[in-house]
Amino acid sequence: MTAATLAVWSAQKIVPLTGHRHHKHAPNPVAPDFQAPAPAASISFGPTALAAAMARTATLLNAPPVLLSRLKDSALNDAEILIADGPVFGLTSYIASLADTERTHFAARVGAGITDLYMNGLGYVWRDNAVCLASTLNPHADFLYAGGNASGYGVVLAEAHGSFAGSVTDSKLAAQARNKYLRQVRPFIAKPSPYGEVIHGYSVAFGSRPGTVGAFLRLSETLRRKPRRSPPPPSQRLMGAGGRPPTQIALASYRSNFVLMDALPVADWIDWTRGLRELPADIEPLAFFRLEYAGRAFLAYAHSLSLFRPPFVLMDNVVDHPLWRHRWRRLADQPLSIRWFVIEEKIGERFLNALSALIRLEDRILPETLDLPSGDFVGSSADGAASITRRDGVPYEYALFRDGLALLGGPSPRHITGHRIWHPKHGLE
């Protein structure tokens, strides 16, 4: 395949779960009333969903937001040109041109993305890097998830593994999933974390052989006895009414989300509320565009979408400023064709208002939980569901995660319908 014939893959791929193994744990079960969701028999995804998941997992670090913003760009590009088109997973011939270290790095990123899609498919919502469980010298799994069936009980641990080697087989991936579970997941079950007790664990291994078509997906997870009674309602669980997420894991999740949206000032404010940095020097309001796509309303950070980034701070009169008025009309009068991260409007509004409430706290003592909703999961599924199409029959291409983050691509969204202003201390208007 030459550069002239290179085509970005577009087909929705379905990868079946080729094996599932349970592992005993003592005590068993941890959090007796927690019911683990049934494993998904398969996972389906397109390029937008996988690229978004790879970028989501690459930005779950306490690194400077400007650095993480660069990492997401490379994740999006790699997912486009190294995976072959067609309904069955395969790699392009470009994979053979990569050095061993680069191939290993790409495989790890894809494995992390597949794990994130799988965990969202199981119903989990908020996430963080699991480095908080142990020192970097000790082996530990990759990610912690909250929400879904774990709401009110604690968090679940997930280890991700990806391999694109010529020696990959289903049995070898099964061994990888098992060994990584035993070494990097099981030691932390029933252990405390900053977000609550670790109540369950997963090890997901994904792999494919270059030059062949098809992929293997293996899952190891904690064995649980069936509960003797139905779980209590969310209002009676440990972490607040309605299964509210722990504050710290919600902040970690949305820090990654707003970095992906290039809204780095929001990430700076999140870091300040968590005590990780000084008071941001820029305390001015931030502008977000409101746009519609696939029948949903989203918020996009204005500076990331503007064809002409204004040399002034966007204030309440953003659309009335003589200099910005011309630029606003030029942007609003044409369809947008670039791919970018946005956040579902209602969920984004709830989080930004919750963040403003944390910024206003005089004692800087954060509450244990936040009242945040979860939403739909679109663009990937556990049953190979068909993609959503427009009235003209053209499929929408976007990925929407349960915490509200979305990556838009494919057919252009409708025109921008308005704008919203976020004041750090007063909330979203």
Side-chain angles (χ1 to χ4, degrees):
M1 181 182 297
T2 65
T5 61
L6 174 64
V8 176
W9 66 288
S10 59
Q12 192 86 354
K13 302 183 186 302
I14 299 178
V15 177
L17 184 67
T18 51
H20 177 217
R21 179 170 181 170
H22 286 101
H23 297 269
K24 295 181 179 180
H25 186 84
N28 184 14
V30 181
D33 292 325
F34 164 73
Q35 295 183 12
S42 66
I43 183 172
S44 70
F45 54 89
T48 301
L50 181 58
M54 290 168 62
R56 278 163 53 92
T57 52
T59 52
L60 280 178
L61 299 168
N62 284 328
V66 66
L67 171 62
L68 297 179
S69 180
R70 298 284 182 171
L71 292 180
K72 67 103 184 238
D73 294 333
S74 63
L76 295 178
N77 293 333
D78 290 349
E80 287 186 341
I81 66 173
L82 292 175
I83 297 176
D85 202 5
V88 181
F89 188 90
L91 301 164
T92 68
S93 59
Y94 282 105
I95 196 74
S97 301
L98 297 181
D100 290 344
T101 54
E102 291 297 323
R103 184 186 302 187
T104 300
H105 177 67
F106 176 64
R109 275 193 168 179
V110 173
I114 292 292
T115 299
D116 189 52
L117 293 176
Y118 199 88
M119 297 298 286
N120 270 263
L122 294 181
Y124 299 112
V125 184
W126 299 279
R127 68 203 190 282
D128 194 12
N129 194 293
V131 69
C132 60
L133 293 179
S135 71
T136 56
L137 298 178
N138 294 327
H140 56 79
D142 294 306
F143 310 111
L144 287 165
Y145 285 86
N149 284 23
S151 294
Y153 298 114
V155 292
V156 300
L157 187 58
E159 163 66 12
H161 174 72
S163 179
F164 295 146
S167 60
V168 167
T169 63
D170 185 41
S171 60
K172 287 185 176 181
L173 278 183
Q176 285 283 3
R178 179 186 67 247
N179 295 340
K180 286 181 173 291
Y181 179 91
L182 296 176
R183 186 168 184 255
Q184 297 172 234
V185 177
R186 188 167 70 175
F188 299 96
I189 304 299
K191 302 296 183 182
S193 82
Y195 319 123
E197 185 181 34
V198 179
I199 59 172
H200 195 72
Y202 300 88
S203 176
V204 180
F206 176 81
S208 180
R209 286 194 304 272
T212 66
V213 175
F216 308 107
L217 179 63
R218 281 282 180 166
L219 175 69
S220 284
E221 70 171 304
T222 310
L223 175 67
R224 305 189 66 84
R225 293 197 301 265
K226 292 184 178 181
R228 297 179 180 178
R229 57 188 177 88
S230 299
S235 60
Q236 298 178 16
R237 298 181 189 175
L238 299 177
M239 296 161 67
R244 294 154 51 122
T247 297
Q248 291 290 353
I249 199 169
L251 291 177
S253 189
Y254 286 102
R255 182 185 193 265
S256 168
N257 289 352
F258 281 94
V259 165
L260 293 171
M261 293 170 60
D262 289 323
L264 303 189
V266 177
D268 289 339
W269 279 109
I270 292 173
D271 285 347
W272 181 76
T273 63
R274 302 171 76 190
L276 301 178
R277 62 163 293 156
E278 298 296 325
L279 182 70
D282 187 357
I283 61 174
E284 298 294 339
L286 305 178
F288 291 84
F289 289 141
R290 183 184 187 274
L291 54 92
E292 295 182 0
Y293 187 77
R296 300 175 184 269
F298 296 97
L299 296 178
Y301 185 49
H303 278 229
S304 68
L305 293 190
S306 174
L307 300 179
F308 305 96
R309 297 193 179 189
F312 54 87
V313 178
L314 295 173
M315 299 295 287
D316 296 315
N317 60 348
V318 58
V319 295
D320 295 326
H321 191 286
L323 179 61
W324 180 248
R325 188 184 301 119
H326 168 70
R327 296 170 178 176
W328 166 270
R329 288 173 179 170
R330 182 171 179 179
L331 182 62
D333 288 343
Q334 59 182 313
L336 300 174
S337 58
I338 59 176
R339 174 189 270 185
W340 71 92
F341 282 97
V342 296
I343 194 165
E344 196 276 329
E345 184 179 32
K346 292 183 179 179
I347 294 179
E349 179 177 17
R350 286 278 291 274
F351 173 76
L352 288 172
N353 287 337
L355 178 59
S356 293
L358 299 182
I359 293 171
R360 292 194 300 267
L361 290 174
E362 295 182 359
D363 56 12
R364 303 286 304 279
I365 299 177
L366 301 183
E368 292 186 3
T369 62
L370 291 180
D371 185 12
L372 296 174
S374 60
D376 297 330
F377 182 44
V378 179
S380 176
S381 72
D383 55 8
S387 59
I388 302 173
T389 59
R390 307 186 306 181
R391 291 181 179 178
D392 58 8
V394 178
Y396 287 107
E397 185 186 335
Y398 75 112
L400 173 64
F401 295 84
R402 297 188 185 277
D403 60 7
L405 180 74
L407 179 62
L408 305 187
S412 301
R414 295 172 58 184
H415 293 165
I416 291 173
T417 59
H419 77 284
R420 311 272 316 257
I421 302 294
W422 180 64
H423 300 261
K425 289 189 176 182
H426 304 294
L428 190 68
E429 294 182 352

